[in-house]
Structure formats: C-alpha cells, structure tokens
Amino acid sequence: MSEVTTKTLVEAGITRQGVFVRDDGTPYPGGPCISQAVIRGDTVYLCGVVPPEIWRNPSNPTFGDVQAQTKQVLQRIDELLADAGTDKSKLLTAQIWLADMRLFAEHNKAWNAWVDPRNPPVRACVEARLTHPELLVEIMCTAAR
C-alpha cells in the first residue's frame, strides 16, 4: 500500500480519505479496497481500525496484549478524526470487535481512559474472529464535525 489518496465526489458532497487503491483503481494484492474515512456533510465515518503494525509487519509474532492494541487503535482513531476536522468528543457511535470476550475488562480499561466521559458515544462490543491471528481488537466509529 504505497499510495493513500483523498478523493472528493463534489456532486454528492462526499470526501474519501486514505483510499487504499492503486492509481488504476484496482486493490492491492490481498488487500481490501476501502477508505479509512468517508465524510459527508458534518458526519465522519471511520473504517474498522486495527493496530497499524498488523499491516506494516504482519510476520511480527506478537502485537501486544489487548490493552496495548486498544491504545494503538484509539491513537489511530484520534489521528483519523483530526484529519477529518473533528475529535473524540464528537463521537456518535462505536462498534468494537474483540477476538475473545474474556478480554473485555482489559480492553475497557484502555477505552475508559481514552473516551471523553462527558460525551461518550453509543457503543456495541461483540466477539468476532478477526482477520489476523494476533489481532485482538478492531474499532469502527462515526463522529460529527
């Protein structure tokens, strides 16, 4: 994934940030054709965010425990929201997938330390088999601007 682009569909008022496709519009081998963020009007939709190291170095035998991975994901969410002109205080929704619900309490410690306690989003947290065996958490958010 050497090139990440921003695309705007002016007629629909949609901006796509961090589009993972080649110049010819085809996906990278083995990778999804996605946008990291889509903005329409005053709403920002983020893709499912995972620790960046999962994709940078997939042969790494460990990516840390669920707290470490959650902190990495939340830091990346902060970056994506800032790029879109918003922040975590304007989160509307969050969907969280954990590889094992026994990790919920440890994950939640990192989440509670990060989330704006005056403006918490609605949230769902479920167990799911994730795309990499070492991946423990994925979070998808929607925010206002």
Side-chain angles (χ1 to χ4, degrees), residues 49-85:
V49 179
V50 297
E53 191 64 19
I54 294 286
W55 304 116
R56 289 184 192 135
N57 187 8
S59 63
N60 185 347
T62 183
F63 299 101
D65 64 16
V66 73
Q67 275 197 53
Q69 288 191 26
T70 299
K71 289 176 184 177
Q72 292 171 40
V73 168
L74 296 173
Q75 179 181 345
R76 182 66 182 136
I77 288 171
D78 280 335
E79 294 167 357
L80 290 168
L81 291 173
D83 288 348

PDB file of all heavy atoms in Angstrom, residues 49-85:
ATOM      1  N   VAL A  49     -10.789   0.109  12.509  1.00  0.00           N
ATOM      2  CA  VAL A  49      -9.394   0.471  12.745  1.00  0.00           C
ATOM      3  C   VAL A  49      -8.736  -0.630  13.584  1.00  0.00           C
ATOM      4  O   VAL A  49      -9.280  -1.057  14.607  1.00  0.00           O
ATOM      5  CB  VAL A  49      -9.285   1.837  13.462  1.00  0.00           C
ATOM      6  CG1 VAL A  49      -7.834   2.203  13.735  1.00  0.00           C
ATOM      7  CG2 VAL A  49      -9.964   2.923  12.630  1.00  0.00           C
ATOM      8  N   VAL A  50      -7.580  -1.064  13.134  1.00  0.00           N
ATOM      9  CA  VAL A  50      -6.782  -2.064  13.843  1.00  0.00           C
ATOM     10  C   VAL A  50      -5.405  -1.463  14.122  1.00  0.00           C
ATOM     11  O   VAL A  50      -5.052  -0.442  13.547  1.00  0.00           O
ATOM     12  CB  VAL A  50      -6.648  -3.375  13.024  1.00  0.00           C
ATOM     13  CG1 VAL A  50      -8.015  -4.019  12.812  1.00  0.00           C
ATOM     14  CG2 VAL A  50      -5.965  -3.132  11.699  1.00  0.00           C
ATOM     15  N   PRO A  51      -4.609  -2.095  14.994  1.00  0.00           N
ATOM     16  CA  PRO A  51      -3.261  -1.564  15.224  1.00  0.00           C
ATOM     17  C   PRO A  51      -2.491  -1.493  13.908  1.00  0.00           C
ATOM     18  O   PRO A  51      -2.436  -2.476  13.160  1.00  0.00           O
ATOM     19  CB  PRO A  51      -2.618  -2.578  16.170  1.00  0.00           C
ATOM     20  CG  PRO A  51      -3.766  -3.257  16.841  1.00  0.00           C
ATOM     21  CD  PRO A  51      -4.871  -3.275  15.815  1.00  0.00           C
ATOM     22  N   PRO A  52      -1.923  -0.330  13.572  1.00  0.00           N
ATOM     23  CA  PRO A  52      -1.233  -0.172  12.277  1.00  0.00           C
ATOM     24  C   PRO A  52      -0.134  -1.209  12.033  1.00  0.00           C
ATOM     25  O   PRO A  52       0.096  -1.601  10.892  1.00  0.00           O
ATOM     26  CB  PRO A  52      -0.647   1.234  12.359  1.00  0.00           C
ATOM     27  CG  PRO A  52      -1.506   1.951  13.339  1.00  0.00           C
ATOM     28  CD  PRO A  52      -1.939   0.913  14.332  1.00  0.00           C
ATOM     29  N   GLU A  53       0.509  -1.671  13.064  1.00  0.00           N
ATOM     30  CA  GLU A  53       1.610  -2.628  12.909  1.00  0.00           C
ATOM     31  C   GLU A  53       1.149  -3.955  12.303  1.00  0.00           C
ATOM     32  O   GLU A  53       1.932  -4.649  11.661  1.00  0.00           O
ATOM     33  CB  GLU A  53       2.287  -2.876  14.268  1.00  0.00           C
ATOM     34  CG  GLU A  53       3.585  -3.638  14.193  1.00  0.00           C
ATOM     35  CD  GLU A  53       4.701  -2.918  13.432  1.00  0.00           C
ATOM     36  OE1 GLU A  53       4.632  -1.688  13.247  1.00  0.00           O
ATOM     37  OE2 GLU A  53       5.653  -3.602  13.014  1.00  0.00           O
ATOM     38  N   ILE A  54      -0.112  -4.295  12.476  1.00  0.00           N
ATOM     39  CA  ILE A  54      -0.647  -5.536  11.898  1.00  0.00           C
ATOM     40  C   ILE A  54      -0.396  -5.571  10.387  1.00  0.00           C
ATOM     41  O   ILE A  54      -0.053  -6.601   9.837  1.00  0.00           O
ATOM     42  CB  ILE A  54      -2.158  -5.659  12.184  1.00  0.00           C
ATOM     43  CG1 ILE A  54      -2.447  -5.822  13.679  1.00  0.00           C
ATOM     44  CG2 ILE A  54      -2.812  -6.763  11.363  1.00  0.00           C
ATOM     45  CD1 ILE A  54      -2.128  -7.160  14.272  1.00  0.00           C
ATOM     46  N   TRP A  55      -0.570  -4.428   9.728  1.00  0.00           N
ATOM     47  CA  TRP A  55      -0.412  -4.388   8.271  1.00  0.00           C
ATOM     48  C   TRP A  55       0.999  -4.008   7.863  1.00  0.00           C
ATOM     49  O   TRP A  55       1.448  -4.379   6.796  1.00  0.00           O
ATOM     50  CB  TRP A  55      -1.433  -3.440   7.651  1.00  0.00           C
ATOM     51  CG  TRP A  55      -2.805  -3.846   8.051  1.00  0.00           C
ATOM     52  CD1 TRP A  55      -3.693  -3.142   8.807  1.00  0.00           C
ATOM     53  CD2 TRP A  55      -3.436  -5.100   7.780  1.00  0.00           C
ATOM     54  NE1 TRP A  55      -4.838  -3.867   9.010  1.00  0.00           N
ATOM     55  CE2 TRP A  55      -4.704  -5.078   8.396  1.00  0.00           C
ATOM     56  CE3 TRP A  55      -3.058  -6.250   7.080  1.00  0.00           C
ATOM     57  CZ2 TRP A  55      -5.596  -6.151   8.314  1.00  0.00           C
ATOM     58  CZ3 TRP A  55      -3.949  -7.310   7.021  1.00  0.00           C
ATOM     59  CH2 TRP A  55      -5.189  -7.248   7.623  1.00  0.00           C
ATOM     60  N   ARG A  56       1.716  -3.263   8.704  1.00  0.00           N
ATOM     61  CA  ARG A  56       3.086  -2.872   8.368  1.00  0.00           C
ATOM     62  C   ARG A  56       4.041  -4.047   8.468  1.00  0.00           C
ATOM     63  O   ARG A  56       4.989  -4.146   7.709  1.00  0.00           O
ATOM     64  CB  ARG A  56       3.557  -1.761   9.316  1.00  0.00           C
ATOM     65  CG  ARG A  56       2.892  -0.449   9.062  1.00  0.00           C
ATOM     66  CD  ARG A  56       3.486   0.618   9.966  1.00  0.00           C
ATOM     67  NE  ARG A  56       2.643   1.800   9.908  1.00  0.00           N
ATOM     68  CZ  ARG A  56       2.261   2.503  10.954  1.00  0.00           C
ATOM     69  NH1 ARG A  56       2.666   2.180  12.158  1.00  0.00           N
ATOM     70  NH2 ARG A  56       1.495   3.546  10.802  1.00  0.00           N
ATOM     71  N   ASN A  57       3.822  -4.919   9.447  1.00  0.00           N
ATOM     72  CA  ASN A  57       4.745  -6.019   9.701  1.00  0.00           C
ATOM     73  C   ASN A  57       3.954  -7.262  10.124  1.00  0.00           C
ATOM     74  O   ASN A  57       4.003  -7.661  11.281  1.00  0.00           O
ATOM     75  CB  ASN A  57       5.747  -5.608  10.791  1.00  0.00           C
ATOM     76  CG  ASN A  57       6.830  -6.638  10.990  1.00  0.00           C
ATOM     77  OD1 ASN A  57       6.939  -7.593  10.229  1.00  0.00           O
ATOM     78  ND2 ASN A  57       7.614  -6.465  12.023  1.00  0.00           N
ATOM     79  N   PRO A  58       3.183  -7.863   9.216  1.00  0.00           N
ATOM     80  CA  PRO A  58       2.317  -8.982   9.588  1.00  0.00           C
ATOM     81  C   PRO A  58       3.056 -10.229  10.060  1.00  0.00           C
ATOM     82  O   PRO A  58       2.449 -11.097  10.687  1.00  0.00           O
ATOM     83  CB  PRO A  58       1.518  -9.258   8.312  1.00  0.00           C
ATOM     84  CG  PRO A  58       2.318  -8.665   7.216  1.00  0.00           C
ATOM     85  CD  PRO A  58       3.090  -7.521   7.808  1.00  0.00           C
ATOM     86  N   SER A  59       4.357 -10.334   9.807  1.00  0.00           N
ATOM     87  CA  SER A  59       5.097 -11.508  10.272  1.00  0.00           C
ATOM     88  C   SER A  59       5.551 -11.368  11.725  1.00  0.00           C
ATOM     89  O   SER A  59       6.078 -12.306  12.298  1.00  0.00           O
ATOM     90  CB  SER A  59       6.305 -11.763   9.369  1.00  0.00           C
ATOM     91  OG  SER A  59       7.200 -10.655   9.439  1.00  0.00           O
ATOM     92  N   ASN A  60       5.349 -10.187  12.323  1.00  0.00           N
ATOM     93  CA  ASN A  60       5.677  -9.974  13.725  1.00  0.00           C
ATOM     94  C   ASN A  60       4.895 -10.998  14.553  1.00  0.00           C
ATOM     95  O   ASN A  60       3.684 -11.124  14.401  1.00  0.00           O
ATOM     96  CB  ASN A  60       5.286  -8.544  14.136  1.00  0.00           C
ATOM     97  CG  ASN A  60       5.700  -8.202  15.547  1.00  0.00           C
ATOM     98  OD1 ASN A  60       6.076  -9.048  16.341  1.00  0.00           O
ATOM     99  ND2 ASN A  60       5.611  -6.921  15.861  1.00  0.00           N
ATOM    100  N   PRO A  61       5.549 -11.755  15.435  1.00  0.00           N
ATOM    101  CA  PRO A  61       4.855 -12.808  16.170  1.00  0.00           C
ATOM    102  C   PRO A  61       3.869 -12.284  17.217  1.00  0.00           C
ATOM    103  O   PRO A  61       2.989 -13.002  17.646  1.00  0.00           O
ATOM    104  CB  PRO A  61       5.977 -13.594  16.831  1.00  0.00           C
ATOM    105  CG  PRO A  61       7.100 -12.624  16.934  1.00  0.00           C
ATOM    106  CD  PRO A  61       6.969 -11.709  15.744  1.00  0.00           C
ATOM    107  N   THR A  62       3.998 -11.053  17.662  1.00  0.00           N
ATOM    108  CA  THR A  62       3.072 -10.528  18.657  1.00  0.00           C
ATOM    109  C   THR A  62       2.878  -9.030  18.475  1.00  0.00           C
ATOM    110  O   THR A  62       3.802  -8.325  18.086  1.00  0.00           O
ATOM    111  CB  THR A  62       3.549 -10.834  20.085  1.00  0.00           C
ATOM    112  OG1 THR A  62       2.564 -10.346  20.998  1.00  0.00           O
ATOM    113  CG2 THR A  62       4.887 -10.203  20.389  1.00  0.00           C
ATOM    114  N   PHE A  63       1.702  -8.580  18.725  1.00  0.00           N
ATOM    115  CA  PHE A  63       1.381  -7.167  18.583  1.00  0.00           C
ATOM    116  C   PHE A  63       0.950  -6.571  19.915  1.00  0.00           C
ATOM    117  O   PHE A  63       0.342  -5.526  19.948  1.00  0.00           O
ATOM    118  CB  PHE A  63       0.288  -6.985  17.531  1.00  0.00           C
ATOM    119  CG  PHE A  63       0.723  -7.479  16.190  1.00  0.00           C
ATOM    120  CD1 PHE A  63       0.312  -8.713  15.727  1.00  0.00           C
ATOM    121  CD2 PHE A  63       1.578  -6.724  15.405  1.00  0.00           C
ATOM    122  CE1 PHE A  63       0.732  -9.179  14.491  1.00  0.00           C
ATOM    123  CE2 PHE A  63       2.002  -7.184  14.169  1.00  0.00           C
ATOM    124  CZ  PHE A  63       1.583  -8.412  13.718  1.00  0.00           C
ATOM    125  N   GLY A  64       1.261  -7.249  21.005  1.00  0.00           N
ATOM    126  CA  GLY A  64       0.912  -6.756  22.326  1.00  0.00           C
ATOM    127  C   GLY A  64      -0.420  -7.315  22.801  1.00  0.00           C
ATOM    128  O   GLY A  64      -1.166  -7.940  22.055  1.00  0.00           O
ATOM    129  N   ASP A  65      -0.696  -7.058  24.080  1.00  0.00           N
ATOM    130  CA  ASP A  65      -1.948  -7.534  24.660  1.00  0.00           C
ATOM    131  C   ASP A  65      -3.096  -6.635  24.224  1.00  0.00           C
ATOM    132  O   ASP A  65      -2.914  -5.669  23.487  1.00  0.00           O
ATOM    133  CB  ASP A  65      -1.837  -7.627  26.181  1.00  0.00           C
ATOM    134  CG  ASP A  65      -1.610  -6.272  26.859  1.00  0.00           C
ATOM    135  OD1 ASP A  65      -1.829  -5.211  26.224  1.00  0.00           O
ATOM    136  OD2 ASP A  65      -1.227  -6.271  28.039  1.00  0.00           O
ATOM    137  N   VAL A  66      -4.299  -6.940  24.690  1.00  0.00           N
ATOM    138  CA  VAL A  66      -5.473  -6.197  24.232  1.00  0.00           C
ATOM    139  C   VAL A  66      -5.424  -4.732  24.657  1.00  0.00           C
ATOM    140  O   VAL A  66      -5.881  -3.860  23.912  1.00  0.00           O
ATOM    141  CB  VAL A  66      -6.784  -6.877  24.672  1.00  0.00           C
ATOM    142  CG1 VAL A  66      -7.027  -6.702  26.167  1.00  0.00           C
ATOM    143  CG2 VAL A  66      -7.958  -6.357  23.849  1.00  0.00           C
ATOM    144  N   GLN A  67      -4.848  -4.425  25.818  1.00  0.00           N
ATOM    145  CA  GLN A  67      -4.736  -3.017  26.216  1.00  0.00           C
ATOM    146  C   GLN A  67      -3.797  -2.262  25.280  1.00  0.00           C
ATOM    147  O   GLN A  67      -4.106  -1.153  24.846  1.00  0.00           O
ATOM    148  CB  GLN A  67      -4.243  -2.893  27.658  1.00  0.00           C
ATOM    149  CG  GLN A  67      -5.350  -2.995  28.671  1.00  0.00           C
ATOM    150  CD  GLN A  67      -4.915  -2.471  30.023  1.00  0.00           C
ATOM    151  OE1 GLN A  67      -4.425  -1.354  30.137  1.00  0.00           O
ATOM    152  NE2 GLN A  67      -5.110  -3.293  31.048  1.00  0.00           N
ATOM    153  N   ALA A  68      -2.657  -2.858  24.969  1.00  0.00           N
ATOM    154  CA  ALA A  68      -1.701  -2.216  24.071  1.00  0.00           C
ATOM    155  C   ALA A  68      -2.317  -2.021  22.691  1.00  0.00           C
ATOM    156  O   ALA A  68      -2.188  -0.949  22.088  1.00  0.00           O
ATOM    157  CB  ALA A  68      -0.419  -3.041  23.968  1.00  0.00           C
ATOM    158  N   GLN A  69      -2.996  -3.041  22.164  1.00  0.00           N
ATOM    159  CA  GLN A  69      -3.624  -2.922  20.850  1.00  0.00           C
ATOM    160  C   GLN A  69      -4.742  -1.881  20.875  1.00  0.00           C
ATOM    161  O   GLN A  69      -4.867  -1.087  19.947  1.00  0.00           O
ATOM    162  CB  GLN A  69      -4.156  -4.267  20.378  1.00  0.00           C
ATOM    163  CG  GLN A  69      -3.062  -5.219  19.971  1.00  0.00           C
ATOM    164  CD  GLN A  69      -3.595  -6.441  19.252  1.00  0.00           C
ATOM    165  OE1 GLN A  69      -4.660  -6.420  18.631  1.00  0.00           O
ATOM    166  NE2 GLN A  69      -2.832  -7.531  19.315  1.00  0.00           N
ATOM    167  N   THR A  70      -5.536  -1.864  21.938  1.00  0.00           N
ATOM    168  CA  THR A  70      -6.617  -0.878  22.034  1.00  0.00           C
ATOM    169  C   THR A  70      -6.048   0.530  22.044  1.00  0.00           C
ATOM    170  O   THR A  70      -6.557   1.427  21.351  1.00  0.00           O
ATOM    171  CB  THR A  70      -7.478  -1.137  23.277  1.00  0.00           C
ATOM    172  OG1 THR A  70      -8.070  -2.441  23.178  1.00  0.00           O
ATOM    173  CG2 THR A  70      -8.570  -0.085  23.426  1.00  0.00           C
ATOM    174  N   LYS A  71      -4.975   0.759  22.792  1.00  0.00           N
ATOM    175  CA  LYS A  71      -4.354   2.089  22.826  1.00  0.00           C
ATOM    176  C   LYS A  71      -3.858   2.506  21.445  1.00  0.00           C
ATOM    177  O   LYS A  71      -4.012   3.662  21.051  1.00  0.00           O
ATOM    178  CB  LYS A  71      -3.209   2.116  23.842  1.00  0.00           C
ATOM    179  CG  LYS A  71      -3.689   2.070  25.280  1.00  0.00           C
ATOM    180  CD  LYS A  71      -2.521   1.993  26.248  1.00  0.00           C
ATOM    181  CE  LYS A  71      -3.021   1.857  27.673  1.00  0.00           C
ATOM    182  NZ  LYS A  71      -1.912   1.699  28.636  1.00  0.00           N
ATOM    183  N   GLN A  72      -3.263   1.564  20.697  1.00  0.00           N
ATOM    184  CA  GLN A  72      -2.798   1.866  19.343  1.00  0.00           C
ATOM    185  C   GLN A  72      -3.970   2.224  18.427  1.00  0.00           C
ATOM    186  O   GLN A  72      -3.891   3.175  17.643  1.00  0.00           O
ATOM    187  CB  GLN A  72      -2.049   0.673  18.758  1.00  0.00           C
ATOM    188  CG  GLN A  72      -0.737   0.353  19.416  1.00  0.00           C
ATOM    189  CD  GLN A  72      -0.186  -0.971  18.899  1.00  0.00           C
ATOM    190  OE1 GLN A  72      -0.279  -1.270  17.714  1.00  0.00           O
ATOM    191  NE2 GLN A  72       0.352  -1.774  19.794  1.00  0.00           N
ATOM    192  N   VAL A  73      -5.050   1.464  18.535  1.00  0.00           N
ATOM    193  CA  VAL A  73      -6.233   1.717  17.714  1.00  0.00           C
ATOM    194  C   VAL A  73      -6.823   3.081  18.057  1.00  0.00           C
ATOM    195  O   VAL A  73      -7.158   3.868  17.162  1.00  0.00           O
ATOM    196  CB  VAL A  73      -7.276   0.591  17.902  1.00  0.00           C
ATOM    197  CG1 VAL A  73      -8.615   0.983  17.289  1.00  0.00           C
ATOM    198  CG2 VAL A  73      -6.764  -0.711  17.306  1.00  0.00           C
ATOM    199  N   LEU A  74      -6.935   3.397  19.340  1.00  0.00           N
ATOM    200  CA  LEU A  74      -7.517   4.668  19.757  1.00  0.00           C
ATOM    201  C   LEU A  74      -6.647   5.846  19.326  1.00  0.00           C
ATOM    202  O   LEU A  74      -7.165   6.898  18.932  1.00  0.00           O
ATOM    203  CB  LEU A  74      -7.761   4.662  21.258  1.00  0.00           C
ATOM    204  CG  LEU A  74      -8.787   3.619  21.722  1.00  0.00           C
ATOM    205  CD1 LEU A  74      -8.846   3.573  23.242  1.00  0.00           C
ATOM    206  CD2 LEU A  74     -10.164   3.849  21.113  1.00  0.00           C
ATOM    207  N   GLN A  75      -5.338   5.667  19.354  1.00  0.00           N
ATOM    208  CA  GLN A  75      -4.441   6.720  18.860  1.00  0.00           C
ATOM    209  C   GLN A  75      -4.665   6.942  17.364  1.00  0.00           C
ATOM    210  O   GLN A  75      -4.722   8.076  16.892  1.00  0.00           O
ATOM    211  CB  GLN A  75      -2.984   6.344  19.122  1.00  0.00           C
ATOM    212  CG  GLN A  75      -2.007   7.385  18.604  1.00  0.00           C
ATOM    213  CD  GLN A  75      -0.558   6.986  18.857  1.00  0.00           C
ATOM    214  OE1 GLN A  75      -0.249   6.103  19.633  1.00  0.00           O
ATOM    215  NE2 GLN A  75       0.343   7.672  18.184  1.00  0.00           N
ATOM    216  N   ARG A  76      -4.826   5.855  16.626  1.00  0.00           N
ATOM    217  CA  ARG A  76      -5.080   5.982  15.184  1.00  0.00           C
ATOM    218  C   ARG A  76      -6.439   6.632  14.926  1.00  0.00           C
ATOM    219  O   ARG A  76      -6.578   7.453  14.007  1.00  0.00           O
ATOM    220  CB  ARG A  76      -4.983   4.603  14.502  1.00  0.00           C
ATOM    221  CG  ARG A  76      -5.173   4.657  13.017  1.00  0.00           C
ATOM    222  CD  ARG A  76      -4.041   5.407  12.334  1.00  0.00           C
ATOM    223  NE  ARG A  76      -4.288   5.489  10.906  1.00  0.00           N
ATOM    224  CZ  ARG A  76      -4.119   6.592  10.179  1.00  0.00           C
ATOM    225  NH1 ARG A  76      -3.657   7.691  10.712  1.00  0.00           N
ATOM    226  NH2 ARG A  76      -4.395   6.579   8.897  1.00  0.00           N
ATOM    227  N   ILE A  77      -7.438   6.304  15.728  1.00  0.00           N
ATOM    228  CA  ILE A  77      -8.749   6.947  15.602  1.00  0.00           C
ATOM    229  C   ILE A  77      -8.609   8.444  15.843  1.00  0.00           C
ATOM    230  O   ILE A  77      -9.171   9.252  15.096  1.00  0.00           O
ATOM    231  CB  ILE A  77      -9.778   6.301  16.549  1.00  0.00           C
ATOM    232  CG1 ILE A  77     -10.146   4.901  16.024  1.00  0.00           C
ATOM    233  CG2 ILE A  77     -11.020   7.177  16.709  1.00  0.00           C
ATOM    234  CD1 ILE A  77     -10.990   4.080  16.974  1.00  0.00           C
ATOM    235  N   ASP A  78      -7.855   8.836  16.867  1.00  0.00           N
ATOM    236  CA  ASP A  78      -7.609  10.263  17.117  1.00  0.00           C
ATOM    237  C   ASP A  78      -7.024  10.936  15.872  1.00  0.00           C
ATOM    238  O   ASP A  78      -7.440  12.032  15.490  1.00  0.00           O
ATOM    239  CB  ASP A  78      -6.644  10.463  18.290  1.00  0.00           C
ATOM    240  CG  ASP A  78      -7.309  10.339  19.650  1.00  0.00           C
ATOM    241  OD1 ASP A  78      -8.530  10.571  19.759  1.00  0.00           O
ATOM    242  OD2 ASP A  78      -6.586  10.028  20.623  1.00  0.00           O
ATOM    243  N   GLU A  79      -6.049  10.283  15.238  1.00  0.00           N
ATOM    244  CA  GLU A  79      -5.412  10.836  14.034  1.00  0.00           C
ATOM    245  C   GLU A  79      -6.403  10.968  12.886  1.00  0.00           C
ATOM    246  O   GLU A  79      -6.453  12.001  12.210  1.00  0.00           O
ATOM    247  CB  GLU A  79      -4.234   9.954  13.610  1.00  0.00           C
ATOM    248  CG  GLU A  79      -3.086   9.937  14.588  1.00  0.00           C
ATOM    249  CD  GLU A  79      -2.072   8.832  14.316  1.00  0.00           C
ATOM    250  OE1 GLU A  79      -2.283   8.015  13.376  1.00  0.00           O
ATOM    251  OE2 GLU A  79      -1.075   8.766  15.049  1.00  0.00           O
ATOM    252  N   LEU A  80      -7.186   9.931  12.653  1.00  0.00           N
ATOM    253  CA  LEU A  80      -8.154   9.964  11.549  1.00  0.00           C
ATOM    254  C   LEU A  80      -9.230  11.022  11.790  1.00  0.00           C
ATOM    255  O   LEU A  80      -9.629  11.736  10.865  1.00  0.00           O
ATOM    256  CB  LEU A  80      -8.794   8.586  11.365  1.00  0.00           C
ATOM    257  CG  LEU A  80      -7.870   7.499  10.818  1.00  0.00           C
ATOM    258  CD1 LEU A  80      -8.520   6.125  10.951  1.00  0.00           C
ATOM    259  CD2 LEU A  80      -7.498   7.786   9.372  1.00  0.00           C
ATOM    260  N   LEU A  81      -9.696  11.135  13.024  1.00  0.00           N
ATOM    261  CA  LEU A  81     -10.693  12.156  13.343  1.00  0.00           C
ATOM    262  C   LEU A  81     -10.112  13.552  13.147  1.00  0.00           C
ATOM    263  O   LEU A  81     -10.782  14.430  12.582  1.00  0.00           O
ATOM    264  CB  LEU A  81     -11.210  11.975  14.772  1.00  0.00           C
ATOM    265  CG  LEU A  81     -12.071  10.732  15.022  1.00  0.00           C
ATOM    266  CD1 LEU A  81     -12.365  10.590  16.508  1.00  0.00           C
ATOM    267  CD2 LEU A  81     -13.360  10.767  14.211  1.00  0.00           C
ATOM    268  N   ALA A  82      -8.884  13.768  13.599  1.00  0.00           N
ATOM    269  CA  ALA A  82      -8.243  15.081  13.430  1.00  0.00           C
ATOM    270  C   ALA A  82      -8.104  15.421  11.951  1.00  0.00           C
ATOM    271  O   ALA A  82      -8.381  16.555  11.532  1.00  0.00           O
ATOM    272  CB  ALA A  82      -6.887  15.109  14.125  1.00  0.00           C
ATOM    273  N   ASP A  83      -7.687  14.446  11.139  1.00  0.00           N
ATOM    274  CA  ASP A  83      -7.565  14.672   9.692  1.00  0.00           C
ATOM    275  C   ASP A  83      -8.905  15.069   9.067  1.00  0.00           C
ATOM    276  O   ASP A  83      -8.941  15.782   8.070  1.00  0.00           O
ATOM    277  CB  ASP A  83      -7.038  13.427   8.983  1.00  0.00           C
ATOM    278  CG  ASP A  83      -5.569  13.159   9.255  1.00  0.00           C
ATOM    279  OD1 ASP A  83      -4.878  14.047   9.804  1.00  0.00           O
ATOM    280  OD2 ASP A  83      -5.117  12.041   8.920  1.00  0.00           O
ATOM    281  N   ALA A  84      -9.988  14.590   9.668  1.00  0.00           N
ATOM    282  CA  ALA A  84     -11.325  14.879   9.143  1.00  0.00           C
ATOM    283  C   ALA A  84     -11.938  16.129   9.783  1.00  0.00           C
ATOM    284  O   ALA A  84     -13.077  16.475   9.490  1.00  0.00           O
ATOM    285  CB  ALA A  84     -12.236  13.677   9.371  1.00  0.00           C
ATOM    286  N   GLY A  85     -11.205  16.770  10.679  1.00  0.00           N
ATOM    287  CA  GLY A  85     -11.687  18.007  11.278  1.00  0.00           C
ATOM    288  C   GLY A  85     -12.589  17.831  12.478  1.00  0.00           C
ATOM    289  O   GLY A  85     -13.453  18.660  12.748  1.00  0.00           O
TER     290      GLY A  85
END
